[in-house]
Amino acid sequence: MISTRKLWLKLLGEVAKFVGDVSKKEDQEALVAATVEKFGQLNVFVNNAGVEAVTPFLKIDEKELERTFKINVFGTVYGTQAAAEQFIKQGTPGKIINACSIAGHEAYEVLGTYSASKHAVKAFTHVAAKELASKHITVNAYCPGVAKTKMWDRIDAEMVKADPSLKPGEPFAKFSGEIALGRYEEPTDVANLVHFLASEDSDYITGQAILVDGGLVYN
Ligand SMILES: NC(=O)c1ccc[n+]([C@@H]2O[C@H](COP(=O)([O-])OP(=O)(O)OC[C@H]3O[C@@H](n4cnc5c(N)ncnc54)[C@H](O)[C@@H]3O)[C@@H](O)[C@H]2O)c1
């Protein structure tokens, strides 16, 4: 009988891990180099890592701005540069896929720093797509809404801390209660869009920040 691990490897293909900090340019370059060494070439690069910040505007400080922008914005720029350099070196087409957010389309109270960082991700997605199109590199972003992950567990806890009239779970329920399709987002809802953007079915799409939010933000 095939073990669960072997079954996953059969389904997923070969996988490898790499530990690094996305906000460091040298780590992004090392990630690409390790990928090429292991798999022969790079085809798709996803800038998924990101952090939230939940703070009233008047309390936003240098530490929060630096951390959030370093990871969400610098990380996306360095990852995109490292991947694009490799695609150009290979002389192949390539796909770069960035994690944006509904907060890259709208700005939310107490999520100012996070919203600004995701607006920056959207802007860099547009610009990189324009500049890299002639090299057959597409650059797109996926914009989740309210997905049940550890990030939202932390956002919920921080919102409760900021407003003691709220009970744990209420901020998540309030935000997800506004979703037109009537349920909160599962990580697989996001993964389905990323899968599409990584596939040849999306070959004629570039420079887009596509909402996958069950009907929350419309534009
Ligand atoms: N959960 C949501 O509702 C939601 C909504 C919109 C956008 N997003 C975006 O989707 C992406 C994934 O979010 P998630 O909900 O899975 O968050 P998460 O906190 O559950 O996971 C984020 C991952 O990023 C990694 N990470 C953080 N800083 C890093 C660094 N400096 N270097 C390397 N890795 C680092 C963490 O270790 C973690 O594995 C993020 O960019 C987030 O902003 C999430």
Side-chain angles (χ1 to χ4, degrees), residues 75 115 118 147 165 176:
S115 299
K118 292 298 183 179
S165 74
S176 55

PDB file of all heavy atoms in Angstrom, residues 75 115 118 147 165 176:
ATOM      1  N   GLY A  75       9.483  42.881   0.097  1.00  0.00           N
ATOM      2  CA  GLY A  75       9.505  41.447  -0.199  1.00  0.00           C
ATOM      3  C   GLY A  75       8.974  41.153  -1.590  1.00  0.00           C
ATOM      4  O   GLY A  75       9.561  40.363  -2.345  1.00  0.00           O
ATOM      5  N   SER A 115      -3.351  48.319   4.529  1.00  0.00           N
ATOM      6  CA  SER A 115      -4.012  48.740   3.292  1.00  0.00           C
ATOM      7  C   SER A 115      -3.029  49.463   2.378  1.00  0.00           C
ATOM      8  O   SER A 115      -2.987  49.208   1.170  1.00  0.00           O
ATOM      9  CB  SER A 115      -5.198  49.665   3.591  1.00  0.00           C
ATOM     10  OG  SER A 115      -6.169  49.018   4.379  1.00  0.00           O
ATOM     11  N   LYS A 118      -0.677  47.020   0.702  1.00  0.00           N
ATOM     12  CA  LYS A 118      -1.282  46.220  -0.368  1.00  0.00           C
ATOM     13  C   LYS A 118      -1.612  47.091  -1.593  1.00  0.00           C
ATOM     14  O   LYS A 118      -1.601  46.599  -2.719  1.00  0.00           O
ATOM     15  CB  LYS A 118      -2.526  45.487   0.148  1.00  0.00           C
ATOM     16  CG  LYS A 118      -2.191  44.392   1.174  1.00  0.00           C
ATOM     17  CD  LYS A 118      -1.302  43.284   0.581  1.00  0.00           C
ATOM     18  CE  LYS A 118      -1.018  42.169   1.547  1.00  0.00           C
ATOM     19  NZ  LYS A 118      -0.197  41.090   0.989  1.00  0.00           N
ATOM     20  N   ALA A 147     -10.327  35.500   4.635  1.00  0.00           N
ATOM     21  CA  ALA A 147     -10.016  34.060   4.606  1.00  0.00           C
ATOM     22  C   ALA A 147      -9.649  33.569   6.001  1.00  0.00           C
ATOM     23  O   ALA A 147      -8.928  34.251   6.734  1.00  0.00           O
ATOM     24  CB  ALA A 147      -8.867  33.792   3.633  1.00  0.00           C
ATOM     25  N   SER A 165     -15.465  46.544  23.750  1.00  0.00           N
ATOM     26  CA  SER A 165     -16.894  46.185  23.646  1.00  0.00           C
ATOM     27  C   SER A 165     -17.086  44.970  22.731  1.00  0.00           C
ATOM     28  O   SER A 165     -18.164  44.368  22.693  1.00  0.00           O
ATOM     29  CB  SER A 165     -17.707  47.374  23.129  1.00  0.00           C
ATOM     30  OG  SER A 165     -17.474  47.556  21.754  1.00  0.00           O
ATOM     31  N   SER A 176     -16.922  38.982   7.689  1.00  0.00           N
ATOM     32  CA  SER A 176     -17.333  37.898   6.792  1.00  0.00           C
ATOM     33  C   SER A 176     -18.851  37.878   6.597  1.00  0.00           C
ATOM     34  O   SER A 176     -19.335  37.337   5.609  1.00  0.00           O
ATOM     35  CB  SER A 176     -16.805  36.544   7.271  1.00  0.00           C
ATOM     36  OG  SER A 176     -17.209  36.300   8.590  1.00  0.00           O
TER      37      SER A 176
END
